[in-house]
Amino acid sequence: MKFQPTGFALVLIFILLFLFAYWVHTIFSSLSNKKEKYISLLRSTIITLLAILVCLRPMRPTYTSDALLKNVDVLFVLDNTISMYATENKQIRMQRVAKDCQYIMHQLSGSNFAMIRFDNTSQILSPFTQDERNITDILSVITYPDTYYASGSYLNTPYKDMESLLISSHKKENRMTVVFFLSDGEITDDSKLMSYQELARYIDHGAVLGYGTTKGEKMEIQEGLFSYPLIDPTTN
């Protein structure tokens, strides 16, 4: 708590003290009943103190980083391959991804957020925006990839879209860029992971959030309203 009275407020306080002294004089000179005197005195004192408190302009300082966070671009890169829909501890991996993204947005509220989704292909679902609701809506409608369309996990897919958004962020003055790459890290198409080192010059901070397990997890194929277990013929 701190006080920030203005010069005019100090004049008002002086006037209030003068009036209070006048009221005290009037109360004791005009009232004969002791009880009435003290009640009137108490009422006048409370009114004067409250008025002085208003003039002193009490304030509780709050510290916010909104102004700073407006200069932060946060890019989510989401692996949306079939393996991201495996179930771990009764929760689908992609549901954990959505919760983690919501947590990050809450912690970095006021920043600009963008999102890339990739499976067989990469897609920019949202350019950088301060509309967090837009990202929340996107997370709620990301769907299970088409089983017949899916051709395995290829972690090089989002590179070009990442490069495009990161360059656009880098061109802005006094901008900090943060990247979160969310994936189970599994490559199933026999490809070799390319280096993302060239993109490092556009990134200030970031993290890779992993959702896989060494032992693997159960998965189901979804076709319309129906789902059934996915069986790997190489292990059965």
Side-chain angles (χ1 to χ4, degrees):
M1 178 75 70
K2 64 179 182 178
F3 299 94
Q4 290 187 331
T6 63
F8 182 67
L10 295 176
V11 173
L12 286 177
I13 292 174
F14 177 79
I15 294 173
L16 286 170
L17 292 174
F18 176 80
L19 290 174
F20 177 71
Y22 174 77
W23 292 334
V24 171
H25 173 74
T26 302
I27 289 170
F28 280 92
S29 60
S30 62
L31 297 177
S32 57
N33 187 294
K34 274 190 175 182
K35 183 177 180 180
E36 289 183 1
K37 283 183 179 180
Y38 288 118
I39 291 176
S40 298
L41 179 61
L42 179 62
R43 185 187 304 118
S44 299
T45 301
I46 292 174
I47 292 172
T48 302
L49 289 175
L50 290 175
I52 290 174
L53 186 62
V54 171
C55 292
L56 289 175
R57 297 175 67 210
M59 297 183 180
R60 186 181 68 180
T62 56
Y63 302 96
T64 176
S65 57
D66 284 352
L68 175 63
L69 289 175
K70 287 180 180 178
N71 290 326
V72 177
D73 284 349
V74 180
L75 172 60
F76 293 112
V77 184
L78 273 60
D79 181 348
N80 193 53
T81 54
I82 291 178
S83 59
M84 288 296 288
Y85 289 84
T87 302
E88 297 176 10
N89 299 321
K90 299 181 180 180
Q91 189 176 42
I92 296 173
R93 289 175 184 170
M94 191 55 73
Q95 292 174 339
R96 290 173 53 204
V97 167
K99 287 183 179 180
D100 290 343
C101 289
Q102 294 284 10
Y103 175 80
I104 291 169
M105 287 193 292
H106 176 72
Q107 294 299 313
L108 300 177
S109 182
S111 301
N112 305 282
F113 297 97
M115 183 168 289
I116 294 173
R117 175 208 58 81
F118 72 94
D119 41 43
N120 287 8
T121 61
S122 177
Q123 179 183 9
I124 297 175
L125 298 179
S126 172
F128 289 107
T129 174
Q130 284 194 309
D131 185 1
E132 296 177 28
R133 180 61 182 271
N134 181 50
I135 302 298
T136 299
D137 290 342
I138 289 173
L139 287 168
S140 68
V141 298
I142 289 180
T143 57
Y144 191 95
D146 190 324
T147 307
Y148 298 105
Y149 167 75
S151 61
S153 298
Y154 182 59
L155 297 183
N156 301 328
T157 305
Y159 187 95
K160 289 297 183 183
D161 283 336
M162 287 180 64
E163 183 180 45
S164 174
L165 288 179
L166 291 173
I167 289 176
S168 71
S169 176
H170 186 71
K171 289 179 179 179
K172 303 169 188 174
E173 291 186 8
N174 301 318
R175 187 70 52 157
M176 178 184 292
T177 306
V178 182
V179 176
F180 291 97
F181 196 104
L182 304 96
S183 171
D184 59 6
E186 187 177 21
I187 298 178
T188 60
D189 63 353
D190 297 324
S191 62
K192 183 178 180 181
L193 180 63
M194 64 187 292
S195 173
Y196 278 70
Q197 185 62 39
E198 284 298 314
L199 300 184
R201 54 181 166 167
Y202 305 124
I203 302 171
D204 297 293
H205 300 283
V208 175
L209 305 184
Y211 298 86
T213 62
T214 55
K215 64 183 181 64
E217 296 293 343
K218 294 181 180 179
M219 294 175 56
E220 290 187 342
I221 297 294
Q222 292 184 350
E223 292 185 355
L225 299 176
F226 303 97
S227 63
Y228 53 88
L230 175 64
I231 298 176
D232 185 351
T234 64
T235 59
N236 290 274

